[in-house]
């Protein structure tokens, strides 16, 4: 069992948990993920590692409540434990010695963008962070990003906080202002990653994205997480989850991620959560 | 007097039209009377060809003689002296190509039903004995086994019997490998696998789940932790796809994913959360045992039409005859000599049909099977909403890419000395699908057994 040492509600729908998993904490690197199972009847779901503490032996996960499993997970309290927690899975992000980087996070994707920003900032790179949210009330990790970036730009779709607009508008204006990035890291909803890649493509700026396909085992066995990259089948769990965004087929990813959407919304009526379990 | 009947005592089974709607075991097993009657068919011949046909050399005529006498526990003891997983092997071994394929009785008539008798003994023991195996005295030497599938479990069991302190590192949340994620409940009840694993634990084998070696720990770190030898039984790996248009559509699964959702994650039970598509018509592409398992699961999950699409003929199918027969009885439709060329989707990107082309057989190829050739212009569409690709796997890269000095062949399979199962690293042994590519449970067990013997010899030399 893997004990929850800390639980923090970051906004109405986003929760942070620190999980005791010393073996994983010892090895974890930015860009890698874990797979967890809440209980015997639960699904295995992948979550990207948001942070880790090698001394304390903890791994931090940040998740948005989007479906049955994240709902179930969100009900757990400090001191409760998860049945299964396996990792660190996937390849660590390869920053390729980039000196000037723009890290872009969208919504809960900021949780995954944060360790990348932190790792590059701590290794001496100049790091601009653009963190985009729908609205002021769901802004997360502002202080953490401040401490891990040269410049932090927050955008909100409705203008209630930071600059009004999308992360792509901000990125475009930073590029227009003469910033020469040798790497852009974009993590967030699939459409956001797709449009960031369209902004950087004409400038030939290398753009890494972290993909979140449907996954079961996460170790290179089931093939559920296959994505098309440069016209080839790649498996996000062993070949990724980071890929060159200019080669990813985002439309296919969006389509495949919707496989169980109908079933999930249909099943809510007899979900275990609503039966008092 | 031996029983000179030319045919095996038939195996009681669930009616095909009942069982294709449930996940209970298809074959329900011999009674004691049936087992004794069948055992009496063994001639106890001198040269024992059956034993040589068994990858783990079960002392077959000896255990069958005990069954004939009604001494079932003694029979079980004889089996387990060389085979750690008899309840599993009795169910899933391809006996027709192994022990039973060599049986003298098979020359005229049917061979002795060695597999059914092995299963009977194991089930009898599991039902009647509450005794757990005891933990042998430790010799203080630690061995790490990577992967808790058939190869790893066998290797661990044999080493534990000799007093080694064995730790199995399993990537999944439960040990068993293909026995739990791949082979369905109706062919191999998971309670049986669980029992075999509990027996290993009683013998002192420690099982650490959720440990992906190559990520959380490397092979070299295992040596640093004090393990003196390592066995790699990490299994087959990533599923292959055909590379035809439409494999990205919603409703296209690999057999590994479909079976994992169904068997390991229990998607067929309402109170488990893992979803699976509710299909009406399913095409399973491939002709092996895995394809049969996927097709039979799809039927049980409620699909009305389930097709096997295979590019060669019935004779060339690699699946066991018994599995093909069971699948046919259950209403699976065989579309042999057909090959998919394209999967067709609807506006929402969901599968709506698979386009196939007819094939004919030419001269034998490298595999000795007749090569399928496309009949030009014979394209046709089969309306389906789900496609399951069951055309093989390629080895998992996690261990080989993180272990210096571990050589692999062109396909990525670990290279071993076939006599000792030693890899190109001293103290590191390997077996099962990680070495051979996708093969059978019993071959993996045979490799695990040989590796255990070699590890014992290797570590006995060190003191």
């Amino acid at each position: 069992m893997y004990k929850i040492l800390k639980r923090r509600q970051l906004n109405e729908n986003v929760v942070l948990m620190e999980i005791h998993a010393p073996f994983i904490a010892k090895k974890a690197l930015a860009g890698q993920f874990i797979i967890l199972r809440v209980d015997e009847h639960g699904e295995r779901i992948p979550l990207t590692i948001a942070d880790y503490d090698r001394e304390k032996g903890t791994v931090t996960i940040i998740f948005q409540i989007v479906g049955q499993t994240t709902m179930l997970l969100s009900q757990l309290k400090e001191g409760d434990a998860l049945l299964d927690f396996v990792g660190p899975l996937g390849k660590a992000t390869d920053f390729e010695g980039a000196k000037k980087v723009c890290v872009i996070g969208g919504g809960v994707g900021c949780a995954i963008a944060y360790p990348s920003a932190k790792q590059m900032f701590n290794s001496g790179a100049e790091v601009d962070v653009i963190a985009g949210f729908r609205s002021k009330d769901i802004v997360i990790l502002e202080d953490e990003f401040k401490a891990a970036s040269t410049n932090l730009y927050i955008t909100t779709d409705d203008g209630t906080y930071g600059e009004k607009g999308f992360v792509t508008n901000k990125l475009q204006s930073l590029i227009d202002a003469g910033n020469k990035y040798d790497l852009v890291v974009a993590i967030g909803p699939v459409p956001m990653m797709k449009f960031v890649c369209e902004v950087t493509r004409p400038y030939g700026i290398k753009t890494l994205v972290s993909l979140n396909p449907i996954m079961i085992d996460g170790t290179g066995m089931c093939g559920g997480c296959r994505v098309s990259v440069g016209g080839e089948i790649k498996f996000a769990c062993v070949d990724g989850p980071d890929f060159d965004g200019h080669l990813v087929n985002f439309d296919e990813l969006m389509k495949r991620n919707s496989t169980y959407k109908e079933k999930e919304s249909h099943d809510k009526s007899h979900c275990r959560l609503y039966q008092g379990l | 007097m031996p029983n000179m009947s030319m045919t095996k005592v038939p195996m009681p089974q669930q009616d095909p039209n009942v069982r294709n709607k449930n996940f209970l075991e298809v074959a329900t097993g011999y009674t004691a009377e049936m087992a004794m009657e069948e055992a009496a068919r063994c001639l106890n011949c001198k040269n024992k060809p059956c034993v040589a046909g068994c990858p783990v050399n079960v002392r077959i005529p000896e255990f069958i003689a005990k069954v004939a006498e009604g001494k079932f526990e003694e029979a079980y003891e004889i089996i387990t002296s060389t085979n750690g997983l008899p309840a599993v092997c009795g169910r899933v071994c391809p006996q027709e190509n192994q022990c039973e394929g060599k049986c003298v009785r098979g020359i005229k008539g049917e061979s002795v039903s060695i597999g059914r008798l092995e299963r009977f003994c194991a089930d009898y023991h599991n039902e009647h004995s509450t005794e757990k195996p005891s933990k042998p005295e430790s010799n203080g030497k630690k061995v790490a086994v990577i992967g808790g599938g058939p190869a790893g479990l066998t290797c661990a069991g044999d080493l534990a019997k000799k007093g080694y302190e064995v730790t199995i590192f399993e990537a999944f949340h439960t040990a068993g490998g293909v026995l739990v994620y791949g082979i369905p409940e109706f062919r191999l009840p998971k309670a049986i696998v669980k029992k075999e694993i509990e027996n290993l634990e009683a013998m002192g084998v420690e099982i650490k789940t959720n440990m992906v070696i190559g990520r959380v720990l490397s092979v070299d770190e295992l040596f640093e932790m004090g393990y003196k030898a390592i066995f790699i039984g990490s299994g087959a790996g990533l599923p292959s796809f055909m590379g035809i248009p439409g494999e990205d559509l919603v409703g296209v699964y690999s057999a590994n994913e479909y079976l994992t959702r169904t068997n390991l994650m229990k998607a067929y039970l309402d109170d488990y959360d893992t979803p699976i598509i509710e299909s009406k018509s399913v095409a399973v592409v491939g002709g092996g045992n895995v394809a049969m398992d996927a097709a039979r699961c799809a039927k049980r999950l409620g699909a009305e039409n389930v097709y096997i699409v295979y590019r060669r003929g019935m004779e060339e199918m690699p699946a066991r005859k018994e599995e093909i027969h069971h699948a046919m009885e259950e209403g699976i439709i065989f579309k042999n000599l057909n090959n998919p060329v394209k999967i067709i989707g609807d506006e929402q990107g969901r599968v709506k049909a698979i386009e196939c082309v007819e094939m004919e057989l030419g001269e034998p190829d490298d595999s000795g099977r007749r090569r399928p050739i496309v009949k030009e212009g014979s394209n046709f569409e089969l309306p389906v909403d789900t496609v399951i690709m069951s055309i093989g796997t390629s080895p998992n890269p996690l261990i080989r890419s993180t272990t210096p000095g571990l050589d692999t062949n062109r396909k990525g399979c670990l290279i071993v000395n076939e006599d000792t199962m030693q890899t190109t690293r001293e103290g590191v042994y390997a077996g099962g699908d990680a070495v051979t590519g996708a093969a059978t449970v019993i071959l993996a067990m045979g490799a695990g057994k040989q590796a255990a013997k070699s590890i014992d010899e290797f570590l006995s030399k060190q003191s």
Side-chain angles (χ1 to χ4, degrees):
Chain A
M1 299 290 274
Y2 303 82
K3 205 165 176 186
I4 300 166
L5 298 185
K6 184 168 148 192
R7 183 194 185 285
R8 211 172 100 207
Q9 193 88 29
L10 297 187
N11 68 37
E12 197 188 337
N13 282 311
V14 177
V15 177
L16 173 150
M17 282 180 178
E18 265 181 40
I19 311 292
H20 187 244
F23 277 106
I24 305 174
K26 216 171 135 188
K27 282 293 177 71
L29 291 169
Q32 290 186 299
F33 65 95
I34 56 91
I35 284 203
L36 63 81
R37 199 169 63 132
V38 176
D39 62 23
E40 183 56 39
H41 291 235
E43 289 178 274
R44 292 169 66 95
I45 61 156
L47 288 173
T48 305
I49 294 170
D51 206 351
Y52 48 82
D53 186 324
R54 304 211 200 281
E55 268 83 60
K56 272 163 67 189
T58 58
V59 172
T60 304
I61 50 171
I62 297 178
F63 59 92
Q64 185 162 11
I65 304 167
V66 288
Q68 177 158 336
T69 301
T70 41
M71 172 70 86
L72 201 62
L73 184 61
S74 74
Q75 314 275 307
L76 299 179
K77 300 172 192 65
E78 286 178 8
D80 290 345
L82 304 177
L83 184 58
D84 298 298
F85 198 76
V86 52
L89 300 169
K91 288 183 179 164
T93 304
D94 182 1
F95 300 113
E96 297 173 353
K99 293 275 178 288
K100 185 170 169 70
V101 192
C102 184
V103 174
I104 304 171
V108 74
C110 288
I112 310 163
Y114 168 66
S116 292
K118 183 172 145 185
Q119 188 164 327
M120 282 186 284
F121 186 71
N122 289 345
S123 64
E126 190 183 335
V127 180
D128 285 353
V129 171
I130 308 172
F133 303 92
R134 211 172 48 244
S135 174
K136 184 186 179 181
D137 53 340
I138 60 166
V139 172
I140 58 170
L141 299 176
E142 186 176 358
D143 294 340
E144 284 84 349
F145 272 125
K146 252 183 208 154
S149 61
T150 318
N151 300 293
L152 170 64
Y153 307 98
I154 291 184
T155 65
T156 50
D157 300 358
D158 61 3
T160 46
Y161 194 67
E163 293 176 44
K164 181 172 161 58
F166 298 123
V167 292
T168 41
N169 308 135
K170 186 68 210 174
L171 174 64
Q172 186 67 60
S173 70
L174 287 171
I175 293 172
D176 292 345
N179 286 288
K180 297 252 181 283
Y181 297 113
D182 35 41
L183 179 68
V184 168
V185 178
I187 304 169
V190 181
M192 183 210 91
M193 294 193 283
K194 178 180 168 179
F195 290 118
V196 166
C197 291
E198 290 317 313
V199 172
T200 57
R201 196 189 300 273
Y203 304 97
I205 305 170
K206 169 109 189 190
T207 305
L208 285 179
V209 293
S210 176
L211 303 188
N212 57 340
I214 290 173
M215 215 176 256
I216 310 177
D217 70 303
T219 65
M221 191 280 281
C222 81
C225 66
R226 65 187 188 277
V227 288
S228 293
V229 181
E232 275 180 59
I233 291 182
K234 295 280 179 192
F235 298 96
C237 69
V238 289
D239 300 322
D242 290 349
F243 292 100
D244 178 344
H246 293 144
L247 299 176
V248 169
N249 184 335
F250 289 105
D251 295 335
E252 175 192 312
L253 176 64
M254 270 184 266
K255 191 176 68 187
R256 287 185 51 80
N257 275 355
S258 72
T259 303
Y260 301 103
K261 279 260 163 67
E262 269 171 46
K263 193 170 164 67
E264 179 131 34
S265 54
H266 168 77
D267 282 356
K268 265 209 180 110
S269 51
H270 44 89
C271 160
R272 289 194 284 137
L273 278 173
Y274 299 92
Q275 295 165 352
L277 277 175
Chain B
M1 264 306 283
N3 168 359
M4 292 312 290
S5 164
M6 302 293 265
T7 55
K8 296 174 177 180
V9 174
M11 179 62 130
Q13 333 185 313
Q14 280 195 73
D15 180 86
N17 282 315
V18 173
R19 71 176 192 243
N20 66 12
K21 295 172 193 69
N22 70 47
F23 274 80
L24 302 176
E25 200 171 10
V26 168
T28 51
Y30 278 168
T31 61
E33 293 71 31
M34 290 173 183
M36 288 169 73
E37 187 188 337
E38 180 62 24
R41 293 184 63 230
C42 176
L43 302 177
N44 204 356
C45 49
K46 267 216 181 74
N47 57 354
K48 307 178 175 86
C50 52
V51 179
C54 172
V56 297
N57 304 119
V58 169
R59 289 146 56 202
I60 293 164
E62 287 177 60
F63 100 74
I64 292 185
K66 293 293 178 191
V67 175
E69 291 169 32
K71 294 176 178 164
F72 305 135
E73 280 296 337
E74 287 178 40
Y76 177 78
E77 295 289 316
I78 293 169
I79 299 171
T80 51
S81 69
T82 64
N83 181 356
L85 308 169
V88 174
C89 291
R91 288 172 164 83
V92 304
C93 268
Q95 290 104 4
E96 63 278 12
N97 302 327
Q98 298 174 353
C99 53
E100 294 183 18
K102 310 269 173 171
C103 177
V104 172
R105 292 296 308 262
I107 299 168
K108 277 186 185 174
E110 290 182 350
S111 66
V112 175
S113 190
I114 301 166
R116 294 172 187 174
L117 292 173
E118 181 181 37
R119 168 184 163 166
F120 169 79
C121 294
D123 289 358
Y124 181 91
H125 172 82
N126 285 341
E127 208 176 297
H128 292 86
S129 170
T130 50
E131 219 176 293
K132 287 265 164 206
S134 55
K135 186 174 184 286
E137 196 181 328
S138 167
N139 66 12
K141 291 176 186 168
K142 285 167 61 174
V143 177
V145 169
I146 303 171
L153 294 174
T154 305
C155 186
D158 280 17
L159 287 169
K161 275 185 206 160
K162 293 196 166 95
Y164 290 93
E165 291 180 12
V166 185
T167 308
I168 295 177
F169 293 90
E170 165 60 44
F172 264 137
H173 53 256
T174 179
V178 74
L179 307 176
V180 294
Y181 75 72
I183 302 176
E185 177 77 15
F186 56 83
R187 229 158 46 83
L188 178 63
K190 302 309 145 212
I192 287 168
V193 182
K194 191 163 170 256
K195 183 119 186 176
E196 303 279 23
I197 290 167
E198 284 167 2
N199 283 344
L200 282 185
E201 288 178 311
M203 281 159 54
V205 173
E206 186 190 8
I207 298 175
K208 286 188 187 290
T209 54
N210 296 328
M211 296 293 275
V212 181
I213 303 302
R215 289 280 188 236
V216 73
L217 290 171
S218 67
V219 165
D220 288 290
E221 283 169 315
L222 291 175
F223 279 122
E224 285 163 25
M225 287 163 74
Y227 293 100
K228 300 292 179 207
I230 293 169
F231 175 75
I232 303 170
S234 52
L238 288 160
S240 302
F241 288 87
M242 292 185 73
I244 57 174
E247 284 182 311
D248 57 325
L249 292 166
V250 173
V252 180
Y253 285 102
S254 73
N256 274 7
E257 181 182 358
Y258 196 78
L259 291 171
T260 301
R261 284 181 183 275
T262 310
N263 302 319
L264 179 77
M265 304 311 293
K266 302 196 174 4
Y268 67 94
L269 297 173
D270 276 348
D271 57 344
Y272 281 75
D273 294 343
T274 300
I276 195 155
I277 288 183
E278 287 167 22
S279 315
K280 265 209 163 77
S281 294
V282 180
V284 179
V285 180
N289 288 319
V290 175
M292 298 306 131
D293 284 344
R296 296 170 72 194
C297 282
K299 190 82 187 172
R300 284 163 171 78
L301 284 162
E304 288 161 27
N305 309 303
V306 181
Y307 306 99
I308 291 278
V309 178
Y310 181 56
R311 62 195 179 127
R312 303 181 200 243
M314 289 304 287
E315 281 306 306
E316 288 77 23
M317 288 190 113
R320 291 183 64 193
K321 291 278 173 294
E322 183 181 331
E323 302 307 328
I324 295 171
H325 173 71
H326 278 156
M328 283 181 162
E329 279 186 338
E330 289 167 12
I332 309 296
I333 303 154
F334 283 70
K335 293 267 183 197
N336 285 63
L337 291 169
N338 287 295
N339 203 31
V341 290
K342 185 161 104 187
I343 305 167
I344 301 159
D346 63 13
E347 316 73 61
Q348 278 115 44
R350 295 176 177 266
V351 174
K352 70 168 188 185
I354 184 166
E355 183 180 324
C356 299
V357 56
E358 288 177 26
M359 310 292 281
E360 56 195 349
L361 293 177
E363 294 301 308
D365 62 12
D366 294 347
S367 73
R369 294 178 298 179
R370 293 177 63 193
R371 197 164 62 87
I373 306 166
V374 174
K375 279 197 211 168
E376 293 301 335
S378 61
N379 299 45
F380 67 99
E381 280 182 26
L382 195 61
V384 293
D385 53 26
T386 307
V387 174
I388 302 171
M389 288 292 172
S390 180
I391 54 169
T393 57
S394 61
N396 191 309
L398 284 187
I399 292 175
R400 69 166 190 262
S401 64
T402 55
T403 311
L406 207 56
D407 290 353
T408 53
N409 67 15
R410 194 168 41 85
K411 289 180 180 163
C413 297
L414 296 174
I415 294 172
V416 297
N417 173 327
E418 282 177 24
D419 296 324
T420 63
M421 307 314 285
Q422 193 194 317
T423 64
T424 48
R425 279 277 303 264
E426 189 179 49
V428 181
Y429 298 77
D433 285 0
V435 169
T436 56
T440 61
V441 168
I442 187 70
L443 279 177
M445 290 178 59
K449 195 165 192 67
Q450 179 54 53
K453 197 166 160 247
S454 303
I455 288 170
D456 180 44
E457 283 163 13
F458 169 66
L459 293 181
S460 300
K461 277 187 238 149
Q462 305 181 334
S463 48

